[in-house]
Each structure stands twice: as C-alpha cells, then as structure tokens.
Amino acid sequence: APAPAPAPAPAPAPTGNVANGLTAYTTYCAGCHTATVKNNVMKVANATTAAALTSAINGVGSMNSLSSLTNQ
C-alpha cells in the first residue's frame, strides 16, 4: 500500500505587533474596508503577509498614498 501523505505543516505564528497593526488598520484602512476585518469588503483579508499588503498597496491606485507605510 502507498505511504500515507504527510500531515500539513502548521500555520506559522503571527509576527509583528498586533496592537500596532490594529491601530494602523483603523487609521488607514477601515474607512474603505470596514472597521472589523472579519466583515471587510474589497478582499482586505487576502493581505495576510507584509508582502501581500505591500503588493496590494502598490497595485491599487487608490491605495498608493499608503506606500510610505512600513512593516513596523
């Protein structure tokens, strides 16, 4: 019989400062994407990494003003 498939790797632990992220989201994002990320509009939950968020900011014209934000 074939060997069983290996178990999927666990999700990596979150990095960064969650409180700072929430403050940044509230300040810069909630106006368009709703105040609660779980109820977001416009696929904001797809930006689950700093790289994905940077890509969205750079790829969506109305978000270009946020390009000076850092990962901190």
Side-chain angles (χ1 to χ4, degrees):
T15 59
N17 184 309
V18 174
N20 285 351
L22 181 57
T23 298
Y25 180 85
T26 301
T27 302
Y28 301 108
C29 309
C32 294
H33 294 282
T34 73
T36 306
V37 176
K38 286 173 55 174
N39 299 329
N40 78 81
V41 294
M42 296 183 273
K43 302 179 183 179
V44 70
N46 290 345
T48 57
T49 65
L53 182 56
T54 299
S55 177
I57 288 170
N58 292 333
V60 178
S62 61
M63 294 191 332
N64 286 338
S65 64
L66 304 175
S67 62
S68 64
L69 297 177
T70 67
N71 294 343
Q72 304 303 313

